[in-house]
Amino acid sequence: MDKAQQAQALMVALGKGERAALARLIALFGPGVQRYAAQNLRQPQEAEDVAQEVFLRVWVQARRYDPARGAVSTWIYKIAVNLCIDRNRRGGLRRFLGLEAAPEVADDAPGPEEVTGARRRLARTRDALATLPDRQRQAIMLRAAGGLDTAEIAATMGISPGAVEQLLVRARAALRARTDLTEGDAQ
Amino acid sequence: MSDRKTDTMEDDAFDLALAELLAQSPADSAPLSRAVLSRLAAPPRAPLERWGTEVLAHPGALISGYGAMLLLMAALGYAALPRIGGDDLLALIALGDLLPLLGGM
């Protein structure tokens, strides 16, 4: 049984109110949703909070999920995308009113010496991702963190597959220019 | 055709490399799962209680709104003053405020 079929079966169990199914669904999609949120929120430390909210909504709305309208992954990531947009919007208003601190600016100073090359590359890549326009970042993160294909990303973002391809092409080009991330050397 | 296929393969490899790199950032599902199930197990809070908690946590927004409303009403009152009695009305209001201090008349 592949991930999509497993998720469909878990949604049926969720509809019957089985909490164990929710835990398994979180094991399947939780890390991806958290990584997506961490990269798409202006306050990355809120990622776990947003991920919790995503799965609480999945629990509450499980009976409303219609498999004919898309894959479970598409449905879950659509909730995550909307929650991140809402959270960023509310954060903007709060910052305007002075109720919330401005997002932390990335520290340009070199990190401690014990920081490994892989961690430095991760930090550099995350910085490069942060400079992408919102839509490009959403698309590339849905691909990389969520593992969604072009059609699923299109359904999640509510745009055409062609538009997704364009976003991905631009995002990859920008990331290639700003990082040393090349195929096959992520390890 | 061949170039296009090569590009697609390069893009797939790039996405895979990015996914593997991002997978190094910590994102454990166990604490997330525990947190979600705990929140489900907790008794639901009434919407009014949630709103009250939000206001108490960040009262600035409500205070700013209230202040803005007071300023707006003061400005409207000032603008409308000539039409509802002008300085005579102000004098009457001031007299009305003084009367309780004098013990009434």
Side-chain angles (χ1 to χ4, degrees):
Chain A
M1 194 188 278
D2 68 4
K3 191 175 173 180
Q5 289 172 325
Q6 213 176 331
Q8 292 278 4
L10 289 172
M11 284 308 296
V12 174
L14 273 190
K16 293 176 188 162
E18 290 178 23
R19 290 190 179 184
L22 182 63
R24 287 171 60 197
L25 199 71
I26 292 172
L28 272 185
F29 295 105
V33 168
Q34 266 182 286
R35 287 190 190 108
Y36 172 84
Q39 207 58 54
N40 281 281
L41 285 169
R42 294 209 176 91
Q43 302 278 358
Q45 64 272 25
E46 291 182 351
E48 192 183 329
D49 199 27
V50 167
Q52 286 181 27
E53 200 60 43
V54 168
F55 289 102
L56 284 171
R57 288 197 186 187
V58 166
W59 171 258
V60 171
Q61 299 172 6
R63 285 187 187 171
R64 276 196 259 162
Y65 168 69
D66 179 7
R69 292 177 63 186
V72 179
S73 55
T74 307
W75 186 60
I76 289 176
Y77 277 100
K78 197 181 273 185
I79 297 174
V81 167
N82 289 335
L83 275 177
C84 287
I85 292 170
D86 284 353
R87 193 62 77 109
N88 285 338
R89 216 173 268 160
R90 271 197 297 164
L93 180 66
R94 281 169 184 262
R95 275 192 298 281
F96 177 73
L97 292 172
L99 299 176
E100 197 170 273
E104 285 174 24
V105 178
D107 187 2
D108 288 330
E113 282 179 17
E114 65 268 23
V115 173
T116 62
R119 285 175 68 183
R120 271 202 300 271
R121 286 183 68 210
L122 175 62
R124 240 190 344 257
T125 306
R126 295 182 71 165
D127 287 347
L129 280 164
T131 63
L132 293 179
D134 288 349
R135 306 287 277 172
Q136 288 181 28
R137 190 173 54 250
Q138 283 170 12
I140 196 79
M141 284 304 295
L142 285 171
R143 171 82 95 206
L148 305 190
D149 62 28
T150 304
E152 289 171 335
I153 297 171
T156 303
M157 294 178 69
I159 56 178
S160 70
V164 170
E165 276 303 334
Q166 281 193 359
L167 289 172
L168 288 174
V169 165
R170 286 179 195 153
R172 287 188 198 108
L175 289 176
R176 279 186 176 118
R178 288 173 201 158
T179 64
D180 55 355
L181 190 68
T182 51
E183 58 273 11
D185 64 355
Q187 292 80 18
Chain B
M1 184 73 184
S2 166
D3 283 351
R4 195 169 175 178
K5 202 172 172 183
T6 310
D7 284 352
T8 308
M9 281 171 65
E10 280 179 3
D11 288 346
D12 288 346
F14 180 85
D15 294 346
L16 187 66
L18 181 61
E20 284 176 355
L21 188 65
L22 289 174
Q24 292 171 9
S25 58
D28 193 1
S29 65
L32 176 63
S33 186
R34 271 197 301 276
V36 173
L37 293 175
S38 305
R39 280 176 69 175
L40 280 179
R45 287 189 297 169
L48 193 62
E49 189 190 343
R50 274 208 304 266
W51 184 81
T53 312
E54 174 90 354
V55 168
L56 288 175
H58 301 288
L62 191 71
I63 291 170
S64 318
Y66 185 67
M69 202 171 66
L70 278 181
L71 281 174
L72 179 72
M73 296 318 279
L76 282 176
Y78 183 74
L81 196 57
R83 306 185 90 198
I84 57 174
D87 289 344
D88 293 345
L89 183 69
L90 269 186
L92 277 175
I93 291 171
L95 186 62
D97 286 343
L98 276 176
L99 282 179
L101 293 176
L102 300 173
M105 282 181 78

Coordinates of all heavy atoms in Angstrom, one line a residue, chain B residues 29-97:
Chain B
S29 N 7.7 13.8 14.4 CA 6.2 13.8 14.4 C 5.7 13.3 15.8 O 4.6 13.6 16.1 CB 5.7 12.8 13.4 OG 6.2 11.5 13.7
A30 N 6.6 12.7 16.7 CA 6.1 12.2 18.0 C 5.6 13.4 18.9 O 4.5 13.3 19.4 CB 7.1 11.4 18.6
P31 N 6.4 14.4 19.1 CA 6.0 15.5 19.9 C 4.7 16.2 19.4 O 3.8 16.6 20.1 CB 7.1 16.5 20.0 CG 8.3 15.8 19.5 CD 7.8 14.7 18.6
L32 N 4.7 16.3 18.0 CA 3.6 17.0 17.4 C 2.3 16.1 17.6 O 1.2 16.7 17.9 CB 3.9 17.1 15.8 CG 2.7 17.6 15.0 CD1 2.4 19.1 15.4 CD2 3.1 17.6 13.5
S33 N 2.4 14.8 17.5 CA 1.3 13.9 17.7 C 0.8 14.0 19.1 O -0.4 14.1 19.3 CB 1.8 12.5 17.3 OG 0.7 11.6 17.4
R34 N 1.8 14.0 20.1 CA 1.4 14.1 21.5 C 0.6 15.4 21.7 O -0.4 15.5 22.4 CB 2.6 14.1 22.4 CG 3.0 12.7 22.8 CD 3.9 12.7 24.0 NE 5.2 13.4 23.7 CZ 6.2 12.9 23.1 NH1 6.2 11.7 22.7 NH2 7.3 13.6 22.9
A35 N 1.2 16.5 21.2 CA 0.5 17.9 21.4 C -0.9 17.9 20.8 O -1.8 18.4 21.5 CB 1.4 19.0 20.8
V36 N -1.1 17.4 19.6 CA -2.4 17.4 19.0 C -3.4 16.5 19.8 O -4.5 17.0 20.1 CB -2.3 16.9 17.5 CG1 -3.7 16.8 16.9 CG2 -1.5 17.9 16.7
L37 N -2.9 15.3 20.2 CA -3.8 14.5 20.9 C -4.2 15.0 22.3 O -5.3 14.9 22.8 CB -3.2 13.1 21.0 CG -3.1 12.3 19.7 CD1 -2.4 11.0 19.8 CD2 -4.5 12.1 19.0
S38 N -3.2 15.7 22.9 CA -3.5 16.4 24.2 C -4.5 17.5 24.0 O -5.4 17.7 24.8 CB -2.2 17.0 24.8 OG -1.2 16.1 24.9
R39 N -4.4 18.3 22.9 CA -5.4 19.3 22.7 C -6.7 18.8 22.4 O -7.7 19.4 22.8 CB -4.9 20.2 21.6 CG -3.8 21.2 22.0 CD -3.3 22.0 20.9 NE -4.2 23.0 20.4 CZ -3.9 23.9 19.4 NH1 -2.7 24.0 19.0 NH2 -4.8 24.8 19.0
L40 N -6.8 17.6 21.8 CA -8.1 17.0 21.5 C -8.7 16.5 22.8 O -9.9 16.5 23.0 CB -7.9 15.8 20.6 CG -7.8 16.1 19.1 CD1 -7.6 14.9 18.3 CD2 -9.0 16.9 18.6
A41 N -7.8 16.0 23.7 CA -8.4 15.5 25.0 C -8.8 16.5 25.9 O -9.7 16.3 26.8 CB -7.3 14.6 25.6
A42 N -8.3 17.8 25.8 CA -8.6 18.9 26.7 C -10.1 19.3 26.4 O -10.5 19.2 25.3 CB -7.7 20.0 26.5
P43 N -10.8 19.7 27.5 CA -12.2 20.1 27.3 C -12.3 21.3 26.4 O -11.4 22.2 26.6 CB -12.7 20.4 28.7 CG -11.5 20.6 29.6 CD -10.4 19.8 28.9
P44 N -13.2 21.4 25.5 CA -13.3 22.5 24.6 C -13.6 23.8 25.3 O -14.4 23.8 26.2 CB -14.4 22.2 23.6 CG -15.2 21.1 24.3 CD -14.3 20.4 25.3
R45 N -13.0 24.9 24.9 CA -13.2 26.2 25.5 C -14.3 26.9 24.7 O -14.3 26.8 23.5 CB -12.0 27.0 25.6 CG -11.0 26.5 26.7 CD -9.9 27.5 26.9 NE -9.1 27.6 25.7 CZ -8.2 28.6 25.5 NH1 -8.0 29.5 26.5 NH2 -7.4 28.7 24.4
A46 N -15.1 27.7 25.4 CA -16.2 28.5 24.7 C -15.5 29.6 23.9 O -14.5 30.1 24.3 CB -17.1 29.1 25.8
P47 N -16.1 29.9 22.8 CA -15.5 31.0 21.9 C -15.3 32.3 22.7 O -14.3 32.9 22.5 CB -16.6 31.2 20.8 CG -17.4 30.0 20.8 CD -17.4 29.4 22.2
L48 N -16.3 32.6 23.6 CA -16.1 33.9 24.4 C -14.9 33.8 25.3 O -14.2 34.8 25.4 CB -17.4 34.1 25.2 CG -17.5 35.5 25.8 CD1 -17.6 36.5 24.7 CD2 -18.8 35.6 26.7
E49 N -14.7 32.6 25.9 CA -13.5 32.4 26.8 C -12.2 32.5 26.0 O -11.3 33.2 26.4 CB -13.6 31.0 27.4 CG -12.6 30.8 28.5 CD -12.5 29.4 28.9 OE1 -13.5 28.6 28.6 OE2 -11.6 29.0 29.6
R50 N -12.2 32.0 24.7 CA -11.0 32.1 23.9 C -10.8 33.5 23.5 O -9.6 34.0 23.6 CB -11.3 31.3 22.6 CG -10.9 29.8 22.7 CD -10.5 29.2 21.3 NE -11.5 29.4 20.3 CZ -12.4 28.6 20.0 NH1 -12.5 27.4 20.6 NH2 -13.3 28.8 19.1
W51 N -11.8 34.3 23.2 CA -11.7 35.7 22.9 C -11.2 36.4 24.1 O -10.3 37.3 24.0 CB -13.1 36.2 22.4 CG -13.0 37.7 22.0 CD1 -12.6 38.1 20.7 CD2 -13.3 38.8 22.7 NE1 -12.7 39.5 20.7 CE2 -13.1 39.9 21.9 CE3 -13.8 39.0 24.0 CZ2 -13.3 41.2 22.3 CZ3 -14.0 40.3 24.5 CH2 -13.7 41.4 23.6
G52 N -11.7 36.1 25.3 CA -11.3 36.8 26.5 C -9.8 36.6 26.8 O -9.0 37.5 27.1
T53 N -9.4 35.3 26.6 CA -7.9 35.0 26.8 C -7.1 35.8 25.8 O -6.0 36.3 26.2 CB -7.7 33.5 26.5 OG1 -8.7 32.8 27.3 CG2 -6.4 33.0 27.0
E54 N -7.5 35.8 24.6 CA -6.8 36.5 23.5 C -6.6 38.0 23.9 O -5.5 38.6 23.8 CB -7.5 36.4 22.2 CG -6.9 37.2 21.0 CD -5.9 36.4 20.3 OE1 -5.5 35.3 20.7 OE2 -5.4 37.0 19.3
V55 N -7.7 38.6 24.4 CA -7.7 40.0 24.7 C -6.8 40.3 25.9 O -6.0 41.2 26.0 CB -9.2 40.5 25.0 CG1 -9.1 41.9 25.7 CG2 -10.0 40.6 23.8
L56 N -6.9 39.4 26.9 CA -6.0 39.5 28.1 C -4.6 39.4 27.8 O -3.7 40.0 28.3 CB -6.5 38.5 29.2 CG -7.8 38.9 29.9 CD1 -8.2 37.8 30.8 CD2 -7.7 40.2 30.6
A57 N -4.3 38.5 26.8 CA -2.9 38.2 26.4 C -2.3 39.4 25.7 O -1.2 39.8 25.8 CB -2.8 37.0 25.6
H58 N -3.2 40.0 24.8 CA -2.7 41.2 24.0 C -3.8 42.3 24.1 O -4.5 42.5 23.1 CB -2.5 40.8 22.5 CG -1.5 39.7 22.4 ND1 -0.2 39.9 22.5 CD2 -1.6 38.4 22.1 CE1 0.5 38.8 22.3 NE2 -0.4 37.9 22.0
P59 N -3.8 43.0 25.2 CA -4.9 44.0 25.4 C -4.7 45.3 24.5 O -5.6 46.0 24.3 CB -4.9 44.4 26.9 CG -3.5 44.1 27.3 CD -3.0 43.0 26.4
G60 N -3.5 45.4 24.0 CA -3.2 46.6 23.2 C -4.1 46.9 22.1 O -4.6 48.1 21.9
A61 N -4.5 45.8 21.3 CA -5.4 46.0 20.2 C -6.7 46.6 20.6 O -7.3 47.5 20.0 CB -5.6 44.7 19.4
L62 N -7.3 46.0 21.7 CA -8.6 46.5 22.1 C -8.5 47.9 22.6 O -9.4 48.8 22.3 CB -9.2 45.5 23.2 CG -10.6 45.7 23.5 CD1 -11.5 45.3 22.4 CD2 -11.0 45.0 24.8
I63 N -7.5 48.2 23.4 CA -7.3 49.5 24.0 C -7.1 50.6 22.8 O -7.8 51.6 22.9 CB -6.1 49.6 24.9 CG1 -6.4 48.8 26.2 CG2 -5.7 51.0 25.3 CD1 -5.2 48.5 27.1
S64 N -6.3 50.2 21.8 CA -6.2 51.1 20.7 C -7.5 51.4 20.0 O -7.8 52.5 19.6 CB -5.2 50.6 19.6 OG -4.1 50.0 20.2
G65 N -8.3 50.3 19.8 CA -9.6 50.4 19.1 C -10.5 51.4 19.9 O -11.2 52.2 19.4
Y66 N -10.5 51.1 21.2 CA -11.4 51.9 22.1 C -11.0 53.4 22.1 O -11.8 54.3 22.0 CB -11.3 51.4 23.5 CG -12.2 52.1 24.5 CD1 -13.6 51.9 24.4 CD2 -11.7 52.9 25.6 CE1 -14.5 52.6 25.3 CE2 -12.6 53.5 26.4 CZ -14.0 53.3 26.3 OH -14.8 54.0 27.2
G67 N -9.7 53.7 22.1 CA -9.1 55.0 22.1 C -9.5 55.7 20.8 O -9.9 56.9 20.8
A68 N -9.3 54.9 19.7 CA -9.6 55.5 18.4 C -11.1 55.9 18.3 O -11.5 56.9 17.7 CB -9.3 54.5 17.3
M69 N -12.0 55.0 18.9 CA -13.4 55.3 18.8 C -13.7 56.5 19.6 O -14.6 57.4 19.2 CB -14.1 54.1 19.4 CG -15.6 54.0 18.9 SD -16.3 52.4 19.5 CE -16.3 52.6 21.2
L70 N -13.1 56.7 20.8 CA -13.3 57.9 21.6 C -12.9 59.2 20.9 O -13.7 60.1 20.9 CB -12.5 57.8 22.9 CG -13.1 57.0 24.1 CD1 -12.2 57.0 25.3 CD2 -14.5 57.5 24.4
L71 N -11.8 59.1 20.2 CA -11.3 60.2 19.5 C -12.2 60.6 18.3 O -12.6 61.8 18.1 CB -9.9 60.0 18.9 CG -8.7 60.1 19.8 CD1 -7.4 59.7 19.2 CD2 -8.6 61.6 20.3
L72 N -12.7 59.5 17.7 CA -13.7 59.7 16.5 C -15.0 60.4 17.0 O -15.5 61.4 16.4 CB -14.0 58.4 15.9 CG -14.9 58.4 14.7 CD1 -14.3 59.0 13.5 CD2 -15.4 57.0 14.3
M73 N -15.5 59.9 18.2 CA -16.7 60.5 18.7 C -16.5 61.9 19.1 O -17.4 62.8 18.9 CB -17.2 59.6 19.9 CG -17.6 58.2 19.5 SD -18.5 58.1 18.0 CE -20.1 58.5 18.5
A74 N -15.3 62.2 19.7 CA -15.0 63.6 20.1 C -15.0 64.5 18.9 O -15.5 65.6 18.9 CB -13.7 63.6 20.9
A75 N -14.4 64.0 17.8 CA -14.2 64.8 16.6 C -15.6 65.1 16.0 O -15.9 66.2 15.6 CB -13.3 64.1 15.6
L76 N -16.4 64.0 16.0 CA -17.8 64.1 15.4 C -18.6 65.1 16.3 O -19.3 66.0 15.7 CB -18.5 62.8 15.4 CG -18.1 61.8 14.3 CD1 -18.8 60.5 14.5 CD2 -18.5 62.4 12.9
G77 N -18.5 65.0 17.6 CA -19.2 65.9 18.5 C -18.8 67.4 18.3 O -19.6 68.3 18.2
Y78 N -17.5 67.6 18.1 CA -17.0 68.9 17.9 C -17.5 69.5 16.6 O -17.9 70.6 16.5 CB -15.4 68.9 17.9 CG -14.8 70.2 17.7 CD1 -14.8 71.1 18.8 CD2 -14.2 70.6 16.5 CE1 -14.2 72.4 18.7 CE2 -13.7 71.9 16.4 CZ -13.7 72.7 17.5 OH -13.1 74.0 17.4
A79 N -17.5 68.6 15.5 CA -18.0 69.0 14.2 C -19.5 69.4 14.2 O -19.9 70.3 13.5 CB -17.7 68.0 13.2
A80 N -20.2 68.6 15.0 CA -21.7 68.8 15.0 C -22.1 69.8 16.0 O -23.3 70.2 16.0 CB -22.3 67.4 15.4
L81 N -21.2 70.3 16.9 CA -21.6 71.3 17.9 C -22.4 72.5 17.4 O -23.4 72.8 18.0 CB -20.3 71.7 18.7 CG -20.6 72.4 20.0 CD1 -21.4 71.4 20.9 CD2 -19.2 72.7 20.7
P82 N -21.9 73.2 16.4 CA -22.7 74.4 15.9 C -24.1 74.1 15.5 O -25.0 74.9 15.7 CB -21.9 74.9 14.7 CG -20.6 74.2 14.8 CD -20.7 73.0 15.6
R83 N -24.4 72.9 15.1 CA -25.7 72.5 14.6 C -26.7 72.2 15.8 O -27.9 72.2 15.6 CB -25.7 71.3 13.6 CG -24.7 71.6 12.5 CD -24.8 70.5 11.5 NE -25.7 70.8 10.4 CZ -26.3 69.9 9.6 NH1 -25.9 68.7 9.7 NH2 -27.1 70.3 8.7
I84 N -26.1 71.7 16.9 CA -27.0 71.3 18.0 C -27.0 72.3 19.2 O -27.4 71.9 20.3 CB -26.6 69.9 18.5 CG1 -25.1 69.9 19.0 CG2 -26.8 68.8 17.5 CD1 -24.7 68.6 19.6
G85 N -26.6 73.5 19.0 CA -26.7 74.5 20.0 C -25.5 75.3 20.3 O -25.5 76.3 21.1
G86 N -24.3 75.0 19.8 CA -23.1 75.8 19.9 C -22.7 76.0 21.3 O -22.8 75.1 22.2
D87 N -22.1 77.2 21.6 CA -21.6 77.4 22.9 C -22.6 77.4 24.1 O -22.3 77.1 25.2 CB -20.9 78.8 22.9 CG -19.6 78.7 22.1 OD1 -19.1 77.6 21.8 OD2 -19.1 79.8 21.7
D88 N -23.9 77.7 23.7 CA -24.9 77.7 24.7 C -25.1 76.3 25.3 O -25.2 76.1 26.5 CB -26.3 78.1 24.2 CG -26.2 79.6 23.8 OD1 -25.3 80.3 24.2 OD2 -27.1 80.0 23.0
L89 N -25.1 75.3 24.4 CA -25.2 73.9 24.8 C -24.0 73.5 25.7 O -24.2 72.9 26.8 CB -25.3 73.0 23.6 CG -25.5 71.5 24.0 CD1 -26.9 71.2 24.6 CD2 -25.3 70.6 22.8
L90 N -22.8 73.9 25.3 CA -21.6 73.6 26.1 C -21.8 74.2 27.5 O -21.4 73.6 28.5 CB -20.4 74.2 25.5 CG -19.6 73.3 24.5 CD1 -18.3 74.0 24.0 CD2 -19.3 72.0 25.1
A91 N -22.3 75.5 27.6 CA -22.5 76.1 28.9 C -23.5 75.4 29.7 O -23.3 75.2 31.0 CB -22.9 77.6 28.7
L92 N -24.6 74.9 29.1 CA -25.6 74.1 29.9 C -25.0 72.8 30.4 O -25.2 72.4 31.6 CB -26.8 73.8 29.0 CG -27.8 74.9 28.8 CD1 -28.9 74.5 27.8 CD2 -28.5 75.2 30.1
I93 N -24.2 72.2 29.6 CA -23.5 70.9 30.0 C -22.6 71.2 31.2 O -22.6 70.4 32.1 CB -22.8 70.2 28.8 CG1 -23.8 69.7 27.8 CG2 -22.0 69.0 29.3 CD1 -23.2 69.3 26.5
A94 N -21.8 72.2 31.0 CA -20.9 72.6 32.1 C -21.6 72.9 33.4 O -21.2 72.5 34.5 CB -20.0 73.8 31.7
L95 N -22.8 73.6 33.3 CA -23.6 73.9 34.5 C -24.2 72.6 35.1 O -24.2 72.4 36.3 CB -24.8 74.9 34.0 CG -25.6 75.4 35.2 CD1 -24.8 76.2 36.1 CD2 -26.8 76.2 34.6
G96 N -24.6 71.7 34.2 CA -25.1 70.4 34.6 C -24.1 69.6 35.4 O -24.4 68.9 36.3
D97 N -22.8 69.7 34.9 CA -21.7 69.1 35.6 C -21.5 69.7 37.0 O -21.1 69.0 37.9 CB -20.4 69.1 34.8 CG -20.5 68.2 33.6 OD1 -21.4 67.3 33.6 OD2 -19.7 68.3 32.6

